[in-house]
Amino acid sequence: MFADRATIFIKSGKGGDGHVSFRREKYVPDGGPDGGDGGRGGDVIFVVDDGLNTLIDYRHRRKFAAQPGEDGGKRNCHGKNGEDLILKVPAGTVIKEASSGQVIADMSGDNRRQVLLKGGRGGLGNQHYATSTMQAPKYAKPGGEARELEIQLELKVIADVGLVGFPNVGKSTLLSRVTNARPKIANYHFTTLSPNLGVVDLDGAGGFVIADIPGLIEGASEGVGLGLQFLRHIERTKVMIHMVDAAGTEGRDPVADINAINRELQAYDPKLLEKPQVIAANKIDAIYGDENEVIRTLKDTFEKDGIRVFPISAVSGKGLKELLYYVQELLSSCSREPIVYEQEFDPLAISEKDEPYTITRADDAAFVVEGPKIDKMLGYTNIESEKGFLFFQKFLKEQGILAELEKMGIQDGDTVRMYGNEFDYYK
């Protein structure tokens, strides 16, 4: 099964906690602080792997986490940094924030490596908080929290030309004839499951990449069949070839088929119809002469709008040279810049300040402040000491919690409650 979409949960590594300890040496009764720093948590990094062409690795496993940093130790020992998590994806993968659909990164063009989530910073050991007046600090800084994110991966095939048409019109045969691609070819009356890519080499002209885009059937833009999964692959193409059965062997109306596919493109994204189009009227080896009523109708209907019609035979190769050189001509008039999606959401811009916390009013009018980082800081800070309490107060200010309390109307003498600890507020 071709996999071109997956939703996964990623998590960076938590930073190791700073350590609280003191030198204990013979004949040195009051040794100074020697708590080491925690190690940095691992990052989550996406890289392009040219050997991949699907997202199948992410269809059966949904959670990925980088390694946390080790805690600091005694005797100024620094905790080991957590290993980064490297996730490999095929070129053309677009990474989006799952809930909003905003683009985080497009793994195309020169962007072959992207750090999505940074690991938490290692916490400082108590040795860093010694001063001339406080020579035995009993607190250390906890490691930075891990970052979590649910993301959606979408593979949008990178091809210059998209080959579209209803099943069994000869797209796979054409692709195998003009490129080095080897798709499975048979008289299927249903769509193939995966886009096939091939490179067309032309004498005296630049080559181009062509993709057989499957799944485009009526109702595709509304999720009928597999169409919606594959419509996204057309977004990067610059030229579209509509392929139809000019011999009528399937009993279909080629004009109606082209109009039906264009309606699906319009419904999915109106900009897709701005791309140059060309029509390949296939299977002329099954008709008498070079033209029939079907081909004349196609020309009368579409060529007045600037869409050329080329009678071809994918089996014998008749007409293919003219078609391919015309497609190359269309491509030469298009921008050669690759279509790359701009970043709309940057998870790295989220600072530790943005970690969630809540402030509510209790029945006795006390201000109740809660949040994972506050709970952790209380566990690592000796608020019984004056220095420890000032350290914790500085943390509340840096996190914007004091400003938020003032915004909520806190007054001198009001009670602030945090995980079983109560404080009287004074500005």
Side-chain angles (χ1 to χ4, degrees), residues 5 14 21 59 68 96-97 102 174 217 230 261 279 284 288-289 291 307 311 317-319 323 344-345 349 356 395:
R5 197 175 192 183
K14 176 195 168 301
S21 63
R59 292 296 289 271
K96 297 181 178 181
E97 200 275 322
Q102 292 181 309
L174 174 65
I217 59 177
F230 297 113
I261 286 175
I279 296 170
I284 61 170
Y288 182 76
E291 199 168 284
I307 301 174
K318 190 171 183 178
L323 169 67
E344 299 169 330
F345 175 78
F395 161 79

Short mmCIF file of all heavy atoms in Angstrom, two decimals, residues 5 14 21 59 68 96-97 102 174 217 230 261 279 284 288-289 291 307 311 317-319 323 344-345 349 356 395:
data_model
loop_
_atom_site.label_atom_id
_atom_site.label_comp_id
_atom_site.label_asym_id
_atom_site.label_seq_id
_atom_site.Cartn_x
_atom_site.Cartn_y
_atom_site.Cartn_z
N ARG A 5 0.49 9.84 3.60
CA ARG A 5 0.01 10.70 4.67
C ARG A 5 0.10 9.95 6.00
O ARG A 5 -0.20 8.76 6.06
CB ARG A 5 -1.42 11.13 4.40
CG ARG A 5 -1.88 12.33 5.20
CD ARG A 5 -3.27 12.75 4.76
NE ARG A 5 -3.63 14.03 5.29
CZ ARG A 5 -4.81 14.59 5.10
NH1 ARG A 5 -5.74 13.96 4.40
NH2 ARG A 5 -5.09 15.78 5.60
N LYS A 14 13.72 15.63 27.61
CA LYS A 14 13.74 16.55 28.76
C LYS A 14 15.18 16.79 29.18
O LYS A 14 16.03 15.91 29.12
CB LYS A 14 12.95 15.93 29.91
CG LYS A 14 12.97 16.76 31.19
CD LYS A 14 12.50 15.94 32.36
CE LYS A 14 12.79 16.67 33.67
NZ LYS A 14 14.22 16.96 33.88
N SER A 21 24.45 19.08 46.00
CA SER A 21 25.36 18.29 46.84
C SER A 21 26.48 19.20 47.34
O SER A 21 26.68 20.30 46.82
CB SER A 21 25.94 17.09 46.08
OG SER A 21 26.72 17.54 44.99
N ARG A 59 3.16 4.79 9.39
CA ARG A 59 1.75 4.36 9.40
C ARG A 59 1.45 3.37 10.53
O ARG A 59 0.32 3.25 10.97
CB ARG A 59 1.39 3.71 8.05
CG ARG A 59 1.38 4.68 6.88
CD ARG A 59 0.30 5.74 7.04
NE ARG A 59 -1.03 5.20 6.87
CZ ARG A 59 -1.67 5.11 5.71
NH1 ARG A 59 -1.09 5.54 4.61
NH2 ARG A 59 -2.89 4.62 5.65
N PRO A 68 16.11 11.73 26.87
CA PRO A 68 16.29 12.82 27.86
C PRO A 68 17.75 12.95 28.28
O PRO A 68 18.53 12.00 28.16
CB PRO A 68 15.41 12.37 29.02
CG PRO A 68 15.37 10.87 28.92
CD PRO A 68 15.43 10.56 27.45
N LYS A 96 3.14 19.41 8.89
CA LYS A 96 2.15 20.39 9.35
C LYS A 96 1.80 20.15 10.81
O LYS A 96 1.87 19.02 11.31
CB LYS A 96 0.86 20.28 8.52
CG LYS A 96 1.04 20.61 7.05
CD LYS A 96 -0.30 20.49 6.32
CE LYS A 96 -0.17 20.85 4.84
NZ LYS A 96 -1.47 20.76 4.15
N GLU A 97 1.40 21.22 11.49
CA GLU A 97 0.86 21.10 12.85
C GLU A 97 -0.52 20.47 12.72
O GLU A 97 -1.36 20.94 11.94
CB GLU A 97 0.77 22.48 13.49
CG GLU A 97 0.69 22.44 15.01
CD GLU A 97 -0.72 22.26 15.50
OE1 GLU A 97 -1.64 22.85 14.91
OE2 GLU A 97 -0.92 21.53 16.48
N GLN A 102 -1.30 24.13 9.82
CA GLN A 102 -0.29 25.10 9.38
C GLN A 102 1.03 24.39 9.06
O GLN A 102 1.43 23.45 9.74
CB GLN A 102 -0.07 26.15 10.47
CG GLN A 102 -1.25 27.08 10.69
CD GLN A 102 -0.95 28.11 11.76
OE1 GLN A 102 -0.52 27.78 12.87
NE2 GLN A 102 -1.19 29.38 11.46
N LEU A 174 2.08 4.63 -21.16
CA LEU A 174 2.82 5.81 -21.64
C LEU A 174 4.05 6.05 -20.79
O LEU A 174 5.15 6.29 -21.32
CB LEU A 174 1.91 7.04 -21.60
CG LEU A 174 2.59 8.37 -21.93
CD1 LEU A 174 3.08 8.36 -23.38
CD2 LEU A 174 1.66 9.55 -21.69
N ILE A 217 -10.89 10.43 -9.92
CA ILE A 217 -12.17 10.01 -10.43
C ILE A 217 -13.22 11.00 -9.95
O ILE A 217 -12.96 11.82 -9.08
CB ILE A 217 -12.53 8.59 -9.95
CG1 ILE A 217 -12.57 8.53 -8.42
CG2 ILE A 217 -11.56 7.56 -10.51
CD1 ILE A 217 -12.99 7.19 -7.86
N PHE A 230 -4.55 11.68 -3.52
CA PHE A 230 -3.58 11.91 -4.58
C PHE A 230 -3.69 13.27 -5.26
O PHE A 230 -2.79 13.67 -5.98
CB PHE A 230 -3.70 10.79 -5.63
CG PHE A 230 -3.38 9.44 -5.07
CD1 PHE A 230 -4.35 8.46 -4.95
CD2 PHE A 230 -2.11 9.15 -4.62
CE1 PHE A 230 -4.05 7.22 -4.41
CE2 PHE A 230 -1.80 7.91 -4.08
CZ PHE A 230 -2.78 6.94 -3.97
N ILE A 261 -12.59 15.73 -14.48
CA ILE A 261 -11.33 15.86 -13.74
C ILE A 261 -11.05 17.33 -13.43
O ILE A 261 -10.62 17.68 -12.32
CB ILE A 261 -10.17 15.22 -14.52
CG1 ILE A 261 -10.29 13.69 -14.44
CG2 ILE A 261 -8.81 15.66 -13.96
CD1 ILE A 261 -9.28 12.94 -15.25
N ILE A 279 -3.68 17.67 -24.00
CA ILE A 279 -4.48 16.45 -24.05
C ILE A 279 -3.78 15.41 -24.92
O ILE A 279 -3.38 15.70 -26.07
CB ILE A 279 -5.89 16.73 -24.62
CG1 ILE A 279 -6.65 17.67 -23.67
CG2 ILE A 279 -6.68 15.43 -24.81
CD1 ILE A 279 -7.94 18.20 -24.24
N ILE A 284 -4.67 5.50 -30.71
CA ILE A 284 -5.01 5.71 -32.13
C ILE A 284 -4.60 4.51 -32.98
O ILE A 284 -4.98 4.41 -34.15
CB ILE A 284 -4.36 7.00 -32.69
CG1 ILE A 284 -2.83 6.94 -32.61
CG2 ILE A 284 -4.89 8.23 -31.95
CD1 ILE A 284 -2.14 8.07 -33.36
N TYR A 288 -9.08 3.69 -37.38
CA TYR A 288 -8.69 3.72 -38.79
C TYR A 288 -8.22 5.13 -39.13
O TYR A 288 -8.95 6.11 -38.95
CB TYR A 288 -9.89 3.33 -39.68
CG TYR A 288 -9.55 3.30 -41.16
CD1 TYR A 288 -8.82 2.24 -41.69
CD2 TYR A 288 -9.96 4.33 -42.01
CE1 TYR A 288 -8.51 2.21 -43.02
CE2 TYR A 288 -9.64 4.30 -43.34
CZ TYR A 288 -8.91 3.24 -43.86
OH TYR A 288 -8.58 3.22 -45.20
N GLY A 289 -6.96 5.26 -39.60
CA GLY A 289 -6.41 6.57 -39.92
C GLY A 289 -5.86 7.25 -38.68
O GLY A 289 -5.73 6.66 -37.61
N GLU A 291 -7.18 10.12 -37.36
CA GLU A 291 -8.17 10.95 -36.68
C GLU A 291 -9.54 10.32 -36.79
O GLU A 291 -9.84 9.62 -37.75
CB GLU A 291 -8.17 12.36 -37.29
CG GLU A 291 -8.81 13.42 -36.40
CD GLU A 291 -8.54 14.83 -36.90
OE1 GLU A 291 -7.41 15.33 -36.73
OE2 GLU A 291 -9.46 15.42 -37.49
N ILE A 307 -5.70 24.71 -25.37
CA ILE A 307 -5.28 23.39 -24.90
C ILE A 307 -5.10 22.48 -26.11
O ILE A 307 -6.08 22.08 -26.75
CB ILE A 307 -6.31 22.78 -23.92
CG1 ILE A 307 -6.50 23.70 -22.71
CG2 ILE A 307 -5.86 21.39 -23.46
CD1 ILE A 307 -7.59 23.25 -21.75
N PRO A 311 -2.98 13.33 -30.89
CA PRO A 311 -3.32 11.90 -31.06
C PRO A 311 -2.05 11.07 -30.91
O PRO A 311 -1.03 11.35 -31.56
CB PRO A 311 -3.86 11.82 -32.49
CG PRO A 311 -4.16 13.24 -32.89
CD PRO A 311 -3.18 14.08 -32.16
N GLY A 317 4.10 4.06 -29.94
CA GLY A 317 4.97 5.24 -29.84
C GLY A 317 4.61 6.34 -30.82
O GLY A 317 5.26 7.39 -30.82
N LYS A 318 3.59 6.14 -31.61
CA LYS A 318 3.20 7.15 -32.60
C LYS A 318 2.72 8.43 -31.92
O LYS A 318 1.91 8.39 -31.00
CB LYS A 318 2.10 6.60 -33.49
CG LYS A 318 1.79 7.46 -34.70
CD LYS A 318 0.84 6.77 -35.65
CE LYS A 318 0.61 7.61 -36.89
NZ LYS A 318 -0.29 6.94 -37.87
N GLY A 319 3.24 9.58 -32.34
CA GLY A 319 2.82 10.88 -31.83
C GLY A 319 3.47 11.29 -30.52
O GLY A 319 3.27 12.42 -30.06
N LEU A 323 4.27 15.20 -28.78
CA LEU A 323 3.67 15.51 -27.48
C LEU A 323 4.73 15.93 -26.48
O LEU A 323 4.60 16.97 -25.80
CB LEU A 323 2.92 14.28 -26.95
CG LEU A 323 2.45 14.35 -25.49
CD1 LEU A 323 1.37 15.41 -25.32
CD2 LEU A 323 1.95 12.99 -25.01
N GLU A 344 4.44 28.38 8.25
CA GLU A 344 3.35 29.13 8.87
C GLU A 344 3.34 28.99 10.40
O GLU A 344 2.70 29.78 11.08
CB GLU A 344 2.00 28.63 8.33
CG GLU A 344 1.85 28.80 6.83
CD GLU A 344 0.63 28.07 6.28
OE1 GLU A 344 0.23 27.03 6.86
OE2 GLU A 344 0.09 28.54 5.27
N PHE A 345 4.05 27.99 10.90
CA PHE A 345 4.08 27.74 12.35
C PHE A 345 5.47 27.28 12.72
O PHE A 345 6.03 26.39 12.08
CB PHE A 345 3.04 26.65 12.69
CG PHE A 345 3.06 26.22 14.14
CD1 PHE A 345 2.48 26.99 15.11
CD2 PHE A 345 3.68 25.03 14.52
CE1 PHE A 345 2.49 26.60 16.45
CE2 PHE A 345 3.70 24.63 15.85
CZ PHE A 345 3.11 25.42 16.82
N ALA A 349 9.82 28.60 18.19
CA ALA A 349 9.58 29.93 18.74
C ALA A 349 8.89 29.88 20.08
O ALA A 349 8.77 30.88 20.78
CB ALA A 349 8.75 30.77 17.77
N PRO A 356 2.28 25.85 29.91
CA PRO A 356 0.97 26.15 30.46
C PRO A 356 0.95 26.23 31.99
O PRO A 356 1.63 25.47 32.67
CB PRO A 356 0.11 24.97 29.97
CG PRO A 356 1.08 23.87 29.75
CD PRO A 356 2.35 24.52 29.29
N PHE A 395 11.77 33.30 39.71
CA PHE A 395 11.21 32.38 38.72
C PHE A 395 9.77 32.78 38.36
O PHE A 395 9.39 32.81 37.18
CB PHE A 395 11.24 30.95 39.28
CG PHE A 395 10.31 29.99 38.61
CD1 PHE A 395 10.62 29.42 37.38
CD2 PHE A 395 9.09 29.65 39.20
CE1 PHE A 395 9.75 28.53 36.76
CE2 PHE A 395 8.22 28.77 38.59
CZ PHE A 395 8.55 28.21 37.36
#
